[in-house]
Amino acid sequence: MPVVVMASPKGGVGKSTAAVILATQLAESGASVTIIDADPNKPISRWASRPGRPETLTLVDNVTEQTIIRAIDEAARRTAFVIVDLEGTASMMVVYAISRADLVIIPTSASLLDAVEAVSAIRLVQRQEEAFRIKIPSSILFTKTSAAIRTRTLASIEAELAENKVPVFDVRIHEREAFRAIFAFGGTLSALDPTQVRNIPAAIANAQAFAAEVIEMLHRQSATVAAVA
């Protein structure tokens, strides 16, 4: 079953947030999902310890460099989707996880320095493609963006990435109170209390659009593999 890996050499760019948003959207659609928390800071494990985790979503958090491949393979046999949240650094665990990926998502903020780090992650994926002689789709995901304003910095970064043919998600994960709230209260976006958290419908729409684009990418990858086979 599809393995989606969240990778970024830069911390604090919304990697774990994107992982939880994707996992919960898939689980609420009825799919079985395993989310592997391979980040030493365990942000997803803390979220999962709070009430409201979907019944079809399984957490695995006891992984090491030596066990990450086995954990991914076992999860892929059990559930429809596997999402791996990696540590924010280059390591052998990151390399091993990428080797099992059907899609690598590289979150980055709309900062030139962060975007440079994101491109270096794309290059890492390309080196794994060469080493393992397989195709590993990857794409940069802009996070913490404004829903109302497309800044000149973001526009400039996007133009440069397009010029260099670096793949980028059409969807951006906007800065939303609801995305922070699920880590504070647990559960899913749809279960948040609108008296405590503002503009939940907009956050849900953003999350749904993100999940839909991920599914579309996975379908394209599956069709490509089938055509080659």
Side-chain angles (χ1 to χ4, degrees):
M1 295 296 149
V3 176
V4 178
V5 170
M6 301 284 179
S8 173
K10 178 78 166 55
V13 293
K15 179 172 52 61
S16 299
T17 299
V20 169
I21 290 171
L22 178 59
T24 52
Q25 286 299 309
L26 293 172
E28 287 193 313
S29 73
S32 58
V33 182
T34 296
I35 187 164
I36 298 177
D37 187 357
D39 186 329
N41 295 318
K42 302 296 182 187
I44 294 178
S45 298
R46 290 196 298 274
W47 163 80
S49 70
R50 299 182 184 277
R53 173 164 45 121
E55 292 183 2
T56 58
L57 196 158
T58 302
L59 172 73
V60 174
D61 65 354
N62 56 341
V63 294
T64 65
E65 184 178 293
Q66 290 72 36
T67 65
I68 184 70
I69 288 180
R70 185 166 66 250
I72 291 172
D73 289 348
E74 289 176 354
R77 286 192 291 270
R78 292 194 312 266
T79 54
F81 294 92
V82 180
I83 299 168
V84 185
D85 184 37
L86 293 169
E87 57 188 329
T89 183
S91 68
M92 288 308 298
M93 182 183 288
V94 172
V95 169
Y96 291 152
I98 288 174
S99 75
R100 285 297 195 267
D102 296 289
L103 173 64
V104 178
I105 299 175
I106 303 165
T108 183
S109 67
S111 150
L112 181 58
L113 293 177
D114 287 355
V116 168
E117 294 289 340
V119 171
S120 73
I122 291 277
R123 305 298 178 231
L124 174 62
V125 174
Q126 291 172 341
R127 289 195 294 273
Q128 297 313 301
E129 289 181 313
E130 294 175 1
F132 292 98
R133 296 181 179 178
I134 55 176
K135 178 63 179 173
I136 308 172
S138 59
S139 189
I140 289 175
L141 171 70
F142 281 104
T143 61
K144 302 183 177 181
T145 53
S146 168
I149 302 171
R150 183 172 180 252
T151 65
R152 290 183 179 179
T153 300
L154 176 57
S156 174
I157 293 170
E158 287 180 323
E160 186 170 347
L161 293 174
E163 182 178 344
N164 288 280
K165 296 181 170 53
V166 177
V168 178
F169 272 81
D170 291 331
V171 172
R172 306 181 193 111
I173 300 296
H174 298 309
E175 185 73 47
R176 297 279 188 192
E177 182 184 355
F179 295 151
R180 295 188 295 271
I182 56 175
F183 283 89
F185 300 118
T188 66
L189 293 170
S190 61
L192 290 172
D193 185 345
T195 66
Q196 295 180 310
V197 182
R198 295 176 300 157
N199 214 359
I200 296 171
I204 292 174
N206 193 185
Q208 290 173 337
F210 170 46
E213 189 166 358
V214 170
I215 295 297
E216 181 184 352
M217 289 181 173
L218 291 171
H219 282 163
R220 286 203 301 266
Q221 166 67 354
S222 178
T224 300
V225 171
V228 171

